[in-house]
Amino acid sequence: MSTITLSKSDAAGVRTDAVVIGVVKLDGGVALPAGTESLNAAYDGRLVEVLSGLGATGKAGEVTKVPGPKPGKSATLIAVGLGTAPDGALKTEDLRTAAGVGVRAAKTTQSVALALPTPDADCVRAVAEGALIGRYSFTAYKSEASTDAPGNLTLITDLARNKDAKAALERAQIVADAVHQVRDWVNTPPSDLHPAEFAAHAQKLAKEYGVKVEVLDEKALAKGGYGGILGVGQGSTNPPRLVRLSYTPKKPVTHLAFVGKGITFDSGGLSLKTASGMVSMKADMAGAAAVVGATLAIARLGLPVQVTTYAAMAENMPSGSAARPSDVLTMYGGKTVEVLNTDAEGRLVLGDALVRASEDAPDLIVDVATLTGACVVALGTKVAGAFANTDTARERVVDAAVAAGEAMWPLPIPAEMLDKLRSHSKVADLANITGEPWGGALAAAAFLGDFVAEGIDWVHLDVAGPAFNDGGPSGYTPTGGTGYSVRTLVELAAAAS
């Protein structure tokens, strides 16, 4: 992974392979933001004219390349559209995206200097995050993977010696490390990341960063009565795991609990998915990956927030030992569930974990799960659904997502959904589906909410859309695993401190 440093160097004279600048869209033309004066002078004050002549419009994400102004210094100038800024102020997400676009426009092995606007530490963090997570590539399984080291990244800013800017840069590097790790886990083929391997990776990193870790194997899960996790995993030759991470700083200001869905591969079980529907199901553990990655980042940052995390890991496979439609599972805590669709399995492993997380009496539980295709139908592939048992809890998480630059939209949990789940089973406390073809994301949220203890604030994030990108890269988002929600969870902890 690339590293990034701050510098007060002259953008026109810095020795690097490429310099990234921003271009603002105006009515009838483009303009250069503050910080590009020396570069404009190096082009004899005609940089806007040069860029306009090459078709630059300032549209967000647009890239225009021109030769660098000084031979032997920067070889290429990469101008990235920032869109319009009606009030003269650019949003941090615009800067984060522009940085990602800029570094993707350069070769991975090139050194890149970023001369994007950084009037304050928040903008420094946004540019650094965008550059670092935009630099990501997954080449572990390429037979001719490049052996070249990634090029260095330099952020040119007048705040290079500012204490807050330095802290912002450190946070960006740590968060980017976590996002990269989560993306690596999600992109790894499921044959190489069974629940046991996933748990071992999490355990190793937790110990490295001073986070307490406990791993329950199939015997411990059976002894503890974790019927949901065991029921989902019983069809696979690769047994399930429940990973518990605990970060407890001195004098924590609050206690957060994170719960993640970790289905390392989801065939649908006996309620088998279509062939095309299975292709991206290695990503069904993205929620567990995100909560583990965020917890480790929070610990590395030393935030004064206690975090207890549960990653429920299982492989959902069809076999002679697999759970059957109409089987009844006894969940952790004693509640019974009739499994009417084995492809509605994520809520079963999460149900166990939510009951266990409630026993820790946290101030807020946030679960992250690639839970329903219905949420993708409702919100598309780039927006997560946010459900909660209180408006205040949901607003806290959505506000954190906005600050982190991750798209999220609040959705309701109608009371009748839980009634339908209870009435749909004639033999158990509730069914795992309502039997209706609509409102699937709402029903799944209602199911999960029934496993959260009374009096504990809880937010459920359905990240089925934004956790995995089937299309081409854009902004700082690559094809494949995105690392979605890591930045939101870290921001949530930072805001609480």
Side-chain angles (χ1 to χ4, degrees):
M1 176 177 168
S2 297
T3 57
I4 190 165
T5 57
L6 300 180
S7 174
K8 290 191 72 171
S9 299
D10 182 357
V14 64
R15 190 178 297 276
T16 185
D17 295 318
V19 175
V20 175
I21 66 168
V23 181
V24 178
K25 184 177 182 180
L26 297 177
D27 289 337
V30 298
L32 298 173
T36 54
E37 291 82 5
S38 65
L39 276 168
N40 188 37
Y43 287 90
D44 297 325
R46 299 176 60 230
L47 185 51
V48 168
E49 182 181 341
V50 170
L51 293 172
S52 298
L54 292 172
T57 66
K59 180 182 177 182
E62 175 187 76
V63 172
T64 307
K65 293 184 179 182
V66 298
K70 296 182 180 181
K73 297 291 184 179
S74 59
T76 306
L77 180 69
I78 300 173
V80 181
L82 294 171
T84 57
D87 57 358
L90 292 163
K91 296 179 180 178
T92 53
E93 180 61 10
D94 295 332
L95 295 171
R96 189 180 288 111
T97 300
V101 170
V103 297
R104 283 199 304 104
K107 293 180 181 179
T108 305
T109 55
Q110 286 185 323
S111 59
V112 179
L114 298 113
L116 292 164
T118 51
D120 55 40
D122 286 340
C123 291
V124 168
R125 178 160 61 91
V127 172
E129 280 183 356
L132 289 166
I133 64 179
R135 195 75 155 170
Y136 176 85
S137 62
F138 185 69
T139 60
Y141 292 84
K142 295 284 189 180
S143 58
E144 298 181 0
S146 173
T147 58
D148 294 330
N152 297 323
L153 299 174
T154 303
L155 200 166
I156 297 174
T157 175
D158 289 338
L159 300 177
R161 296 183 179 88
N162 179 273
K163 180 181 178 181
D164 291 340
K166 290 178 180 179
L169 188 79
E170 180 184 13
R171 174 172 163 181
Q173 186 77 61
I174 289 172
V175 170
D177 284 346
V179 170
H180 280 234
Q181 179 61 75
V182 171
R183 289 174 175 177
D184 283 351
W185 278 330
V186 173
N187 289 330
T188 298
S191 58
D192 288 345
L193 196 72
H194 301 134
E197 285 83 2
F198 190 9
H201 287 184
Q203 186 174 38
K204 179 181 178 181
L205 287 174
K207 289 180 177 179
E208 181 179 342
Y209 297 129
V211 175
K212 291 183 180 180
V213 59
E214 177 187 10
V215 178
L216 300 185
D217 62 13
E218 64 273 30
K219 292 181 180 179
L221 289 168
K223 184 177 180 180
Y226 292 87
I229 298 172
L230 288 167
V232 172
Q234 72 186 45
S236 174
T237 57
N238 302 300
R241 295 287 186 269
L242 178 63
V243 176
R244 181 181 188 269
L245 303 179
S246 179
Y247 164 64
T248 308
K250 294 181 180 179
K251 297 181 180 179
V253 297
T254 191
H255 182 189
L256 301 176
F258 299 151
V259 175
K261 174 187 173 183
I263 304 300
T264 58
F265 184 74
D266 183 19
S267 70
L270 293 180
S271 303
L272 200 65
K273 293 180 182 289
T274 63
S276 61
M278 290 189 211
V279 173
S280 62
M281 284 300 102
K282 66 179 182 180
D284 213 19
M285 39 61 70
V291 297
V292 171
T295 303
L296 299 179
I298 290 166
R300 291 181 66 190
L301 289 167
L303 298 179
V305 175
Q306 181 180 354
V307 180
T308 308
T309 295
Y310 291 89
M313 304 170 180
E315 187 176 57
N316 187 25
M317 299 290 282
S319 72
S321 61
R324 296 158 285 262
S326 77
D327 276 357
V328 175
L329 304 178
T330 300
M331 307 287 286
Y332 181 77
K335 194 167 294 185
T336 58
V337 176
E338 185 176 10
V339 180
L340 298 180
N341 186 327
T342 64
D343 195 25
E345 85 301 328
R347 64 201 70 182
L348 300 174
V349 301
L350 289 172
D352 277 353
L354 286 167
V355 175
R356 179 63 187 87
S358 295
E359 291 179 348
D360 293 323
D363 299 306
L364 172 66
I365 298 175
V366 181
D367 78 71
V368 183
T370 50
L371 205 60
T372 67
C375 200
V376 184
V377 172
L379 299 178
T381 59
K382 298 184 185 299
V383 182
F387 303 80
N389 59 3
T390 70
D391 291 342
T392 301
R394 182 176 54 243
E395 288 168 4
R396 280 183 65 188
V397 176
V398 172
D399 286 349
V402 171
E406 295 188 311
M408 192 176 292
W409 194 256
L411 290 172
I413 308 177
E416 64 266 21
M417 284 297 179
L418 183 57
D419 293 337
K420 289 177 180 178
L421 290 167
R422 288 172 173 165
S423 64
H424 196 46
S425 176
K426 308 304 179 187
V427 298
D429 294 328
L430 70 166
N432 72 329
I433 59 171
T434 63
E436 297 177 343
W438 44 79
L442 314 187
F447 181 96
L448 295 180
D450 203 39
F451 290 86
V452 178
E454 279 192 45
I456 297 178
D457 283 354
W458 159 74
V459 178
H460 158 57
L461 302 181
D462 192 331
V463 301
F468 193 82
N469 178 23
D470 284 311
S474 63
Y476 51 79
T477 303
T479 297
T482 65
Y484 183 92
S485 77
V486 170
R487 289 181 289 130
T488 292
L489 296 178
V490 173
E491 179 65 33
L492 178 68
S497 60

